[in-house]
Amino acid sequence: REEDRMAREQRLLSGADCRWTQLAQSTDWHCRTNGRLYRLSPTKDKVWSLYRARSVDGPNGFLLGKYQRRGDASKAVAEVAYKPDLP
């Protein structure tokens, strides 16, 4: 299990597209789709904030929306990942 987590983390950090991955010592989840990085951050009111991030360790980036479940955020990523990027 730990080896799988490390492999997913390495895939994310290498710039390859990957599903939601939680980096070590982080409460945030990251995924990369169509070469774009997204961050999913839990909030105190049990809602997920979805951001279009520039880097894994940088600031949150552009807020795309708030979602009740991680699956809802995944659906949103599937929608926006292939649309033209915002300036």
Side-chain angles (χ1 to χ4, degrees):
R1 181 154 166 104
E2 181 66 20
E3 291 173 0
D4 290 341
R5 187 191 65 75
M6 292 296 293
R8 287 191 310 269
E9 188 173 314
Q10 282 302 107
R11 185 171 173 84
L12 176 74
L13 295 174
S14 72
D17 284 3
C18 62
R19 299 184 137 240
W20 292 112
T21 303
Q22 190 174 27
L23 300 177
Q25 308 299 322
S26 175
T27 58
D28 296 339
W29 292 76
H30 297 83
C31 85
R32 192 179 309 271
T33 304
N34 195 26
R36 298 177 184 173
L37 180 65
Y38 298 92
R39 178 179 294 131
L40 197 57
S41 301
T43 62
K44 292 179 183 177
D45 53 351
K46 298 183 181 179
V47 174
W48 294 93
S49 296
L50 176 65
Y51 298 93
R52 169 75 167 90
R54 298 274 181 224
S55 68
V56 173
D57 55 357
N60 279 338
F62 181 76
L63 178 65
L64 297 174
K66 294 184 179 240
Y67 300 91
Q68 292 295 322
R69 297 186 328 256
R70 210 171 76 195
D72 296 335
S74 295
K75 290 176 187 174
V77 167
E79 288 279 324
V80 301
Y82 297 96
K83 292 186 178 180
D85 211 359
L86 298 172

